[in-house]
Every structure is written in C-alpha cells, then in structure tokens.
Amino acid sequence: MDDIVSRMLDKAEDSYPQLRKLDTGSPHYLSCSGSRDRATPLRYPVVPPSHVQDLCLRGSRSEDWTQGFASPISGLKRLHFLYHDTLTRPKLLDVLVNLPSLETLIIEDCSTHWTPGPVVYGPNNPIPNHDLIPAPRFTHPNLMTFECLRLDELSTKQLLESLITPNLTCLKVWWFSGWKGQINQGEPLVTMLRGCPQLQTLGLCCFETEDSWWKEVFNTATCVKHLRLRNNEFLEEDLESLCESGLVMPYLERLALENVFGIKTDVVRRIVVDRPDLQYVELRGWDATRVAKEDVEFLRSSVRDFVLETFGGTEQAISNEDESDWSSSGTPSEGSWLSGDQYVVDLALSGIRTFDIIGF
C-alpha cells in the first residue's frame, strides 16, 4: 500500500491538492495486545504533502521512516501511529519537533522502547538497562489531545515522562495488561498531569496502582470535567478522595465507571452528592449485587442523565434527556462497545481480569 501511495504522491505539492486525510500502511501488524501476525517492515517513508491535516501510519516501518518528516510540516493537525513496533523514543521526538501545529497525537498498539516488538517483562525477563535511561523531555505547546492506547507498561511510562504539554485538554491512557509489577504506573501519570493545567478530559483503562496514587491523580487533575475509568483494578478506598469532598475535581460534569467489580453504587452516590455540576453519570458492566435501589433512585433524581448497565442485562436506568451525542467513548453506546456485552461477562466468569477486546 505504501508503494502505491508513494507513487501517487511522487509530485508532492502538485498532487491531490484537495487531500486532507491520508491513512496508509499495512493491514498486517504485530500487536502489543497479543496478535503475532508480523509483516515485513514497510519500505517507503511516507512524505505527506503540506496540505494533509490528518495522517495515519499503520504497521512497522524501515529504519528511514522518519525521512518523511525531515522538514517542518506546518499543516498537519492529527497524527495516528498504529501497530508500529519500532517507534523508538528518539525518532518519535524528532518527528514531533517538525510538527509545530500538531493538535492530536494517537499512539496505539505500538512499542516506543529499544527492544523491538511487544515485550512482557517479568522475573525471568528483566527490563534492559538501556530502556531504564530517563526519557528525554520535549515540550509541545500546541498539542491538545494525546491518546496512548494498548502500549506495554514501559512504553507508556516513557511517553508520559517525555511529553510536556501545557495546553493539553484531553488525555486517554490504556495500559496493555500483560505481566505487571516492575513499573509504578501512578508515578509517570501524575508527572504528566502536573504539566497539564488545562486538562478537561481524562480516560484511564487498565490502570493499576496503590490508593495513594489514585489520590494523587484526582488531586492533580483539578480542572477535569470528563472522567472515565474503565477496567481499573480499584477498590472503594481508591475512590475515597473523590467521596470525601467536592473540592477534589470540583468542575467534574461527566463521570463514567465501567467494568467495575470492587465497589458499590453508594460510592457513586457519595461522589455525586457534593458536586452540583456533575450531571452525567454512566455505570456500565456493574455487578448487579452491588447495585442498591435507593442509590439508583437518588442518582436518577440528582443528575440530568444517568445510565446503569449490569452484566447480562440491559440499561436499567436510562438518561432523563436524549444525549446521544455523548457517551463515555465519545460516540453513541452501541454494539460490542458496551461494557455489559456478553463476551465481557464470559471473560469475567472465566476469571480473566483483562478486557482488552473492548474499545476505549
């Protein structure tokens, strides 16, 4: 596919002047989420015309893939890397330097450290010394949305520590749930949050840390209005700081808690009671035995839109008004995205705690 695109764009600025979005690469990939269908690295560095605003690069690439970004590209607003298992930190930062107008960066199912391919570190496979070198810092003042999805722990840690984004308004982080334990997930996340004073949307998936770091996250993300927590291994005490005072995340307007097994609905009630601005609450993939009728009635009467979905059932409490333009995924809740989907239920019953098959 890149060969075709390379020929199409051979005349660079004179070709396809109306082209604004380019999605190119290989449908075969080496996924950090488990697929092992690896294709030969793509040979052709894509040189996007200056008028392209949205670029998606799929698949692993040859060592010279950064040649397409050797000079500044002022028109590019959105960049999406997908299934790229050799996206090393230095090369990524070199690319970002030449994208001064970039507003959205999505890195999905990639690996950004020196060891090629998805790596699960454990007792018999320690983290190499060269991957423990502190990540170089880079400031991107115009970046507003950063999504770091299904990356291994080390890659996620390095990216969160590398980027300084003072104007970031949206952050979504989905940790790949392989073997865990060598990396403190809370520390790099809080490090990035401290540099994002304007953050309004925060989504965390498969985030595992001690309750003290949960408290740090909530206390640091002070301006967040939209909070989505999904498949996170937290207990009631982890959310205690949200329950104690409306001064923690005081501007919260929308809350989504999905695939939650360790807390009851009275915790959500305590979060809502001191937050008059919190008007959208979405609970999906909940254990029905942890849902109290009095809490449901309170939530329905206290917020503008309330959605409750338990395992194996349908929505038990639906929104008071039609707000189909928003769900915790940013799109209408439908299809296999639903946290209460039967496949998720089957995984839960089988004892599998990680639900990477559901979109974020």
Short mmCIF file of all heavy atoms in Angstrom, two decimals, residues 156-186:
data_model
loop_
_atom_site.label_atom_id
_atom_site.label_comp_id
_atom_site.label_asym_id
_atom_site.label_seq_id
_atom_site.Cartn_x
_atom_site.Cartn_y
_atom_site.Cartn_z
N THR A 156 4.45 3.12 27.79
CA THR A 156 3.54 4.12 28.35
C THR A 156 4.26 5.02 29.33
O THR A 156 4.11 6.24 29.30
CB THR A 156 2.36 3.41 29.04
OG1 THR A 156 1.68 2.58 28.10
CG2 THR A 156 1.38 4.42 29.61
N LYS A 157 5.04 4.44 30.19
CA LYS A 157 5.80 5.21 31.18
C LYS A 157 6.71 6.23 30.50
O LYS A 157 6.75 7.41 30.87
CB LYS A 157 6.63 4.26 32.04
CG LYS A 157 7.59 4.95 33.02
CD LYS A 157 8.39 3.91 33.80
CE LYS A 157 9.30 4.58 34.83
NZ LYS A 157 10.38 5.39 34.20
N GLN A 158 7.44 5.78 29.48
CA GLN A 158 8.38 6.67 28.80
C GLN A 158 7.67 7.82 28.09
O GLN A 158 8.16 8.95 28.10
CB GLN A 158 9.23 5.86 27.82
CG GLN A 158 10.17 4.88 28.51
CD GLN A 158 10.86 3.95 27.54
OE1 GLN A 158 10.39 3.74 26.42
NE2 GLN A 158 11.97 3.36 27.96
N LEU A 159 6.53 7.53 27.47
CA LEU A 159 5.81 8.59 26.77
C LEU A 159 5.25 9.62 27.75
O LEU A 159 5.34 10.83 27.52
CB LEU A 159 4.67 7.99 25.95
CG LEU A 159 5.09 7.30 24.65
CD1 LEU A 159 3.91 6.59 24.02
CD2 LEU A 159 5.67 8.31 23.66
N LEU A 160 4.68 9.15 28.84
CA LEU A 160 4.13 10.07 29.83
C LEU A 160 5.20 10.95 30.45
O LEU A 160 4.96 12.11 30.78
CB LEU A 160 3.38 9.30 30.92
CG LEU A 160 2.14 8.53 30.48
CD1 LEU A 160 1.53 7.79 31.66
CD2 LEU A 160 1.11 9.44 29.84
N GLU A 161 6.40 10.39 30.60
CA GLU A 161 7.50 11.16 31.18
C GLU A 161 8.17 12.07 30.17
O GLU A 161 8.82 13.05 30.56
CB GLU A 161 8.54 10.20 31.78
CG GLU A 161 8.04 9.47 33.01
CD GLU A 161 9.06 8.47 33.54
OE1 GLU A 161 9.98 8.09 32.78
OE2 GLU A 161 8.95 8.09 34.71
N SER A 162 8.05 11.77 28.87
CA SER A 162 8.76 12.53 27.84
C SER A 162 8.04 13.81 27.45
O SER A 162 8.68 14.84 27.22
CB SER A 162 8.96 11.67 26.59
OG SER A 162 9.80 10.58 26.84
N LEU A 163 6.71 13.75 27.33
CA LEU A 163 5.96 14.86 26.76
C LEU A 163 5.58 15.90 27.81
O LEU A 163 5.03 15.56 28.86
CB LEU A 163 4.70 14.35 26.07
CG LEU A 163 4.92 13.53 24.80
CD1 LEU A 163 3.60 12.98 24.28
CD2 LEU A 163 5.60 14.36 23.72
N ILE A 164 5.85 17.14 27.50
CA ILE A 164 5.39 18.27 28.30
C ILE A 164 4.36 19.00 27.45
O ILE A 164 4.69 19.54 26.39
CB ILE A 164 6.55 19.21 28.67
CG1 ILE A 164 7.63 18.42 29.44
CG2 ILE A 164 6.06 20.39 29.50
CD1 ILE A 164 8.88 19.23 29.72
N THR A 165 3.13 19.01 27.88
CA THR A 165 2.02 19.51 27.06
C THR A 165 1.19 20.51 27.87
O THR A 165 0.12 20.15 28.40
CB THR A 165 1.14 18.34 26.60
OG1 THR A 165 0.76 17.56 27.76
CG2 THR A 165 1.91 17.42 25.65
N PRO A 166 1.63 21.73 27.97
CA PRO A 166 0.95 22.70 28.84
C PRO A 166 -0.47 23.05 28.42
O PRO A 166 -1.25 23.54 29.24
CB PRO A 166 1.86 23.93 28.76
CG PRO A 166 2.61 23.78 27.47
CD PRO A 166 2.81 22.32 27.30
N ASN A 167 -0.83 22.80 27.14
CA ASN A 167 -2.17 23.15 26.67
C ASN A 167 -3.04 21.93 26.40
O ASN A 167 -4.10 22.04 25.76
CB ASN A 167 -2.07 24.00 25.39
CG ASN A 167 -1.47 25.37 25.68
OD1 ASN A 167 -1.93 26.06 26.58
ND2 ASN A 167 -0.45 25.75 24.93
N LEU A 168 -2.63 20.78 26.90
CA LEU A 168 -3.39 19.56 26.69
C LEU A 168 -4.75 19.65 27.39
O LEU A 168 -4.84 20.02 28.56
CB LEU A 168 -2.62 18.36 27.23
CG LEU A 168 -3.05 16.99 26.69
CD1 LEU A 168 -2.61 16.82 25.25
CD2 LEU A 168 -2.45 15.86 27.55
N THR A 169 -5.81 19.29 26.66
CA THR A 169 -7.16 19.30 27.23
C THR A 169 -7.75 17.90 27.32
O THR A 169 -8.74 17.71 28.04
CB THR A 169 -8.10 20.19 26.41
OG1 THR A 169 -8.17 19.69 25.06
CG2 THR A 169 -7.62 21.63 26.39
N CYS A 170 -7.17 16.93 26.61
CA CYS A 170 -7.72 15.57 26.61
C CYS A 170 -6.59 14.54 26.68
O CYS A 170 -5.68 14.57 25.85
CB CYS A 170 -8.58 15.33 25.36
SG CYS A 170 -9.23 13.64 25.22
N LEU A 171 -6.65 13.66 27.67
CA LEU A 171 -5.65 12.60 27.83
C LEU A 171 -6.36 11.27 28.04
O LEU A 171 -7.20 11.13 28.93
CB LEU A 171 -4.74 12.89 29.03
CG LEU A 171 -3.73 11.79 29.40
CD1 LEU A 171 -2.72 11.58 28.27
CD2 LEU A 171 -3.02 12.13 30.71
N LYS A 172 -6.02 10.28 27.20
CA LYS A 172 -6.54 8.92 27.35
C LYS A 172 -5.37 7.96 27.40
O LYS A 172 -4.52 7.98 26.51
CB LYS A 172 -7.48 8.56 26.20
CG LYS A 172 -8.75 9.39 26.13
CD LYS A 172 -9.66 8.94 25.00
CE LYS A 172 -10.93 9.77 24.94
NZ LYS A 172 -11.84 9.33 23.84
N VAL A 173 -5.33 7.14 28.44
CA VAL A 173 -4.23 6.20 28.61
C VAL A 173 -4.81 4.81 28.87
O VAL A 173 -5.60 4.62 29.80
CB VAL A 173 -3.31 6.60 29.77
CG1 VAL A 173 -2.10 5.66 29.84
CG2 VAL A 173 -2.84 8.05 29.62
N TRP A 174 -4.42 3.87 28.03
CA TRP A 174 -4.87 2.49 28.15
C TRP A 174 -3.63 1.61 28.26
O TRP A 174 -2.90 1.43 27.31
CB TRP A 174 -5.72 2.11 26.94
CG TRP A 174 -6.26 0.71 26.93
CD1 TRP A 174 -5.96 -0.31 27.78
CD2 TRP A 174 -7.22 0.19 26.00
NE1 TRP A 174 -6.66 -1.44 27.45
CE2 TRP A 174 -7.45 -1.17 26.36
CE3 TRP A 174 -7.91 0.72 24.91
CZ2 TRP A 174 -8.32 -1.98 25.65
CZ3 TRP A 174 -8.78 -0.09 24.22
CH2 TRP A 174 -8.98 -1.42 24.59
N TRP A 175 -3.38 1.09 29.45
CA TRP A 175 -2.23 0.23 29.65
C TRP A 175 -2.52 -1.16 29.11
O TRP A 175 -3.59 -1.72 29.37
CB TRP A 175 -1.89 0.10 31.13
CG TRP A 175 -1.09 1.23 31.69
CD1 TRP A 175 0.27 1.27 31.86
CD2 TRP A 175 -1.59 2.48 32.15
NE1 TRP A 175 0.63 2.48 32.40
CE2 TRP A 175 -0.47 3.24 32.58
CE3 TRP A 175 -2.86 3.05 32.23
CZ2 TRP A 175 -0.62 4.52 33.10
CZ3 TRP A 175 -2.99 4.32 32.74
CH2 TRP A 175 -1.87 5.04 33.17
N PHE A 176 -1.55 -1.72 28.38
CA PHE A 176 -1.66 -3.11 27.98
C PHE A 176 -1.48 -3.97 29.22
O PHE A 176 -0.48 -3.87 29.92
CB PHE A 176 -0.60 -3.46 26.93
CG PHE A 176 -0.42 -4.94 26.71
CD1 PHE A 176 -1.48 -5.71 26.27
CD2 PHE A 176 0.80 -5.56 26.95
CE1 PHE A 176 -1.33 -7.08 26.07
CE2 PHE A 176 0.96 -6.92 26.75
CZ PHE A 176 -0.10 -7.68 26.31
N SER A 177 -2.44 -4.84 29.48
CA SER A 177 -2.44 -5.60 30.74
C SER A 177 -1.73 -6.93 30.57
O SER A 177 -2.33 -7.99 30.54
CB SER A 177 -3.88 -5.82 31.21
OG SER A 177 -4.49 -4.61 31.48
N GLY A 178 -0.42 -6.87 30.45
CA GLY A 178 0.37 -8.09 30.46
C GLY A 178 0.88 -8.30 31.88
O GLY A 178 0.23 -7.96 32.85
N TRP A 179 2.07 -8.84 32.00
CA TRP A 179 2.65 -9.02 33.33
C TRP A 179 2.96 -7.65 33.91
O TRP A 179 3.53 -6.79 33.28
CB TRP A 179 3.93 -9.85 33.22
CG TRP A 179 4.47 -10.27 34.55
CD1 TRP A 179 4.21 -11.44 35.19
CD2 TRP A 179 5.35 -9.54 35.39
NE1 TRP A 179 4.86 -11.48 36.39
CE2 TRP A 179 5.58 -10.32 36.54
CE3 TRP A 179 5.97 -8.29 35.32
CZ2 TRP A 179 6.40 -9.92 37.59
CZ3 TRP A 179 6.77 -7.87 36.36
CH2 TRP A 179 6.99 -8.68 37.47
N LYS A 180 2.57 -7.45 35.17
CA LYS A 180 2.77 -6.14 35.78
C LYS A 180 3.52 -6.28 37.08
O LYS A 180 3.53 -7.33 37.71
CB LYS A 180 1.41 -5.46 36.03
CG LYS A 180 0.67 -5.13 34.76
CD LYS A 180 -0.60 -4.35 35.05
CE LYS A 180 -1.29 -3.97 33.75
NZ LYS A 180 -2.49 -3.15 33.98
N GLY A 181 4.15 -5.21 37.51
CA GLY A 181 4.79 -5.23 38.81
C GLY A 181 6.12 -4.51 38.86
O GLY A 181 6.55 -4.08 39.92
N GLN A 182 6.83 -4.39 37.72
CA GLN A 182 8.14 -3.74 37.74
C GLN A 182 8.04 -2.23 37.60
O GLN A 182 9.00 -1.52 37.86
CB GLN A 182 9.02 -4.30 36.61
CG GLN A 182 9.44 -5.74 36.85
CD GLN A 182 10.66 -6.10 36.02
OE1 GLN A 182 11.58 -5.31 35.87
NE2 GLN A 182 10.66 -7.30 35.49
N ILE A 183 6.89 -1.72 37.18
CA ILE A 183 6.75 -0.29 36.92
C ILE A 183 5.58 0.26 37.72
O ILE A 183 4.49 -0.31 37.71
CB ILE A 183 6.55 -0.03 35.42
CG1 ILE A 183 7.83 -0.37 34.64
CG2 ILE A 183 6.14 1.42 35.15
CD1 ILE A 183 7.70 -0.24 33.15
N ASN A 184 5.83 1.37 38.40
CA ASN A 184 4.76 2.06 39.11
C ASN A 184 3.99 2.90 38.11
O ASN A 184 4.49 3.91 37.61
CB ASN A 184 5.37 2.95 40.20
CG ASN A 184 4.32 3.70 40.99
OD1 ASN A 184 3.15 3.75 40.62
ND2 ASN A 184 4.74 4.28 42.09
N GLN A 185 2.78 2.50 37.80
CA GLN A 185 2.00 3.21 36.79
C GLN A 185 1.57 4.60 37.27
O GLN A 185 1.37 5.50 36.47
CB GLN A 185 0.77 2.39 36.42
CG GLN A 185 1.09 1.08 35.73
CD GLN A 185 -0.17 0.33 35.32
OE1 GLN A 185 -1.28 0.80 35.48
NE2 GLN A 185 0.01 -0.86 34.79
N GLY A 186 1.40 4.76 38.57
CA GLY A 186 0.90 6.03 39.08
C GLY A 186 1.88 7.18 38.93
O GLY A 186 1.49 8.30 38.60
#
